Amino acid sequence: MLKVPYVTGYLTERFADDDFATLEGYERAGGYRAARKALTEMAPADVIELVKGSGLQGRGGAGFSAGLKWSFMPTDTDQPKYLVCNADESEPGSFKDRILLERGAHQMLEGILIAAWATGAEKTFIYIRGEYAHPARELQRCVDEAYAKRYLGENVMGTGFRHDVVVTRGAGAYICGEETGLLESLEGKKGQPRKKPPFPAQYGAFGMPTTVNNVETFSHVPHIVERGADWFRGIGTEKSPGNTVFGVSGHVERPGLYELPLGTRLDEIIFEHAGGVPNGRKVKGVIPGGMSMPILPAGQLDVPMANEALRERKTMLGTGGIMVMDDTTCMVRVACVITYFFRDESCGQCTQCREGTGWLNKIVNRIERGAGEPEDLAILVDIAGKMEGQTICAFADAAAWPVQGLMRHFRADFEAHIEHKKCPFSESFAL
Ligand SMILES: Cc1cc2nc3c(=O)[nH]c(=O)nc-3n(C[C@H](O)[C@H](O)[C@H](O)COP(=O)(O)O)c2cc1C
Ligand code: SF4
């Protein structure tokens, strides 16, 4: 069982209490009150306006406005409409959705129910990563409880509204977290992303209008309905409101989960909350938002953790998975690990991605072995540049960005390997 977050906020403050994970305990804490309010007192369009007004950004990586996405769902169609809850969480360095599923599934289900009302969706598919066996069992238990209490199924809360929830387990492919790869996998096909347009709101699960949101995105929704858009906007930054659950891993005293307002400074999270770097070592670099986000060097940790500020430093919030590396770390080995992952996980449809991820991996391995040539550095930058923005999905960008970040800030590590014809970082982690 995962420990509960070290710092809690409105999403996770009751996670230490086992009672909260049961329907009765969740109701005692005010659970399903927001859904009742939305379904009985608010028109669907008003719920969408409220969520739009709150400024809630998707927490699955891209940071797109949740309310705006909901407004793309057609209102003039006879086709069934669906929601998909993306619980694939396969981004290395990301583990926030796991706790939200294990300890807060009813909170998420309540958010789903409100989103279903707002968009007119009759069914939600929750696609959960295959390795999350325990969270999947907890989730199913909560879904069953919600059906038994008529929070799901026919005539939800006596309103005449019907909503069904189906839990589907993935089989362990990172690309099935990309929303259209997910939809293909959900339909029983290979998890290969679709060309867009059409976007899921027009042609989604089983060809029907569909909205895909992340576990955490749905989990914020009951709080917004209960306390209002102004309350939500009062937390975080003007452009990035609300809390988020940061997952901190790597070389810190207290790796774990920290629910904090967006805009909290990265150095505050690492040094004050996570206790800094152990063994008197110093930070060398930090990946701020899951493995696909470009790394920041030690001198740039005074950055607020919000997209508007991180973009100025050529990186992004991603999933808020913060990976800290101390000054023993060989950044070429880091590149070897990252490029190996992306080479393995590419679905192979696009040449730039299928071949590019393999080439990047081959070249960084060669450099790490001491067999690199000075021109390899320009080749790495060239390949990464040609993978960006050229492919069916953003996976290729996600594979190129970390290499670009490492080359931007740690080129000297690569040059030292080439010059000395070996890895000069004997204390670094082993490959
Ligand atoms: C390669 C790749 C992997 C992704 N993996 C996930 C994932 O595991 N979980 C997730 O919620 N979003 C993931 N996304 C983002 C989804 O495509 C989608 O934007 C997101 O689920 C939308 O939800 P949100 O708007 O609530 O963030 C991934 C995107 C890419 C390109
Ligand atoms: S970019 Fe990569 S993962 Fe995405 S569709 Fe193309 S080959 Fe597949």
Side-chain angles (χ1 to χ4, degrees):
M1 172 80 72
L2 267 183
K3 283 189 201 149
V4 294
Y6 282 106
V7 176
T8 59
Y10 59 85
L11 286 175
T12 59
E13 64 197 351
R14 294 179 187 265
F15 280 12
D17 183 359
D18 284 341
D19 198 41
F20 189 73
T22 66
L23 179 55
E24 291 72 27
Y26 183 64
E27 286 176 317
R28 269 192 290 279
Y32 287 102
R33 216 165 44 200
R36 191 177 296 279
K37 177 176 165 186
L39 268 67
T40 60
E41 296 173 25
M42 295 175 77
D46 295 340
V47 179
I48 294 182
E49 281 312 305
L50 173 73
V51 174
K52 243 197 226 175
S54 75
L56 173 65
Q57 298 169 336
R59 301 292 201 252
F64 192 78
S65 158
L68 191 58
K69 194 188 279 189
W70 295 3
S71 73
F72 296 154
M73 285 285 265
T75 48
D76 54 352
T77 176
D78 296 334
Q79 291 181 308
K81 291 185 267 183
Y82 299 136
L83 296 179
V84 169
C85 173
N86 190 341
D88 193 57
E89 191 164 65
S90 303
E91 175 87 6
S94 246
F95 46 99
K96 66 182 176 76
D97 292 342
R98 181 172 166 190
I99 196 89
L100 291 164
L101 291 158
E102 270 191 24
R103 309 293 297 182
H106 277 299
Q107 174 176 257
M108 183 192 76
L109 287 171
E110 186 177 4
I112 285 174
L113 191 53
I114 295 167
W117 173 249
T119 57
E122 63 173 53
K123 191 178 277 189
T124 295
F125 299 96
I126 304 177
Y127 187 96
I128 184 166
R129 98 177 248 174
E131 296 91 330
Y132 277 7
H134 180 64
R137 279 193 296 272
E138 277 301 288
L139 176 59
Q140 189 61 59
R141 182 183 59 72
C142 292
V143 168
D144 295 344
E145 282 182 335
Y147 267 103
K149 193 74 192 277
R150 297 221 164 213
Y151 288 148
L152 292 175
E154 269 176 44
N155 195 16
V156 172
M157 297 176 182
T159 59
F161 181 62
R162 176 181 184 116
H163 194 69
D164 288 298
V165 168
V166 177
V167 179
T168 306
R169 288 181 65 182
Y174 173 64
I175 196 56
C176 293
E178 194 280 340
E179 59 188 13
T180 60
L182 184 160
L183 294 175
E184 289 288 293
S185 169
L186 182 69
E187 294 176 11
K189 303 177 199 148
K190 264 196 219 172
Q192 293 189 318
R194 297 175 182 168
K195 284 195 194 121
K196 287 152 277 211
F199 290 96
Q202 280 78 50
Y203 187 90
F206 307 97
M208 301 301 153
T210 302
T211 291
V212 184
N213 277 126
N214 168 259
V215 168
E216 186 190 327
T217 312
F218 283 122
S219 302
H220 287 277
V221 170
H223 300 277
I224 294 168
V225 170
E226 178 91 10
R227 300 191 230 188
D230 289 344
W231 163 80
F232 192 74
R233 282 205 168 274
I235 305 166
T237 71
E238 197 189 331
K239 290 191 176 141
S240 303
N243 280 354
T244 198
V245 185
F246 294 104
V248 186
S249 62
H251 295 138
V252 287
E253 289 285 358
R254 286 191 296 278
L257 291 159
Y258 296 84
E259 184 185 337
L260 292 162
L262 285 169
T264 304
R265 272 174 48 157
L266 182 54
D267 49 6
E268 180 190 326
I269 299 173
I270 295 170
F271 297 105
E272 290 177 31
H273 296 298
V277 181
N279 308 319
R281 311 241 39 139
K282 292 191 165 52
V283 174
K284 181 166 178 179
V286 178
I287 294 176
M291 209 174 73
S292 24
M293 295 303 136
I295 193 165
L296 287 168
Q300 293 197 21
L301 306 184
D302 56 344
V303 63
M305 288 292 283
N307 268 328
E308 63 272 20
L310 287 159
R311 277 203 194 100
E312 285 179 19
R313 311 248 170 136
K314 294 191 160 57
T315 188
M316 279 193 301
L317 180 70
T319 58
I322 297 168
M323 291 190 270
V324 181
M325 291 165 243
D326 74 11
D327 52 7
T328 62
T329 309
C330 167
M331 290 300 173
V332 180
R333 292 190 196 182
V334 171
C336 291
V337 173
I338 293 176
T339 54
Y340 175 78
F341 174 80
F342 284 110
R343 188 204 71 184
D344 245 36
E345 296 291 336
S346 168
C347 88
Q349 287 188 98
C350 317
T351 311
Q352 295 91 333
C353 177
R354 185 185 60 245
E355 303 303 326
T357 52
W359 292 343
L360 291 177
N361 183 243
K362 244 187 222 169
I363 296 169
V364 296
N365 276 328
R366 181 161 80 211
I367 296 172
E368 173 58 21
R369 280 199 317 273
E373 301 291 339
E375 56 269 28
D376 280 346
L377 303 186
I379 298 173
L380 276 178
V381 174
D382 187 46
I383 295 171
K386 288 188 170 125
M387 289 166 64
E388 240 189 315
Q390 306 287 333
T391 50
I392 293 173
C393 86
F395 177 104
D397 305 67
W401 291 334
V403 172
Q404 290 170 334
L406 286 164
M407 292 303 293
R408 192 156 49 237
H409 300 299
F410 298 101
R411 197 180 175 99
D413 278 21
F414 291 74
E415 287 169 345
H417 282 69
I418 294 169
E419 190 187 332
H420 302 296
K421 298 203 178 301
K422 63 173 192 176
C423 175
F425 299 96
S426 54
E427 287 180 76
S428 185
F429 68 90
L431 274 179

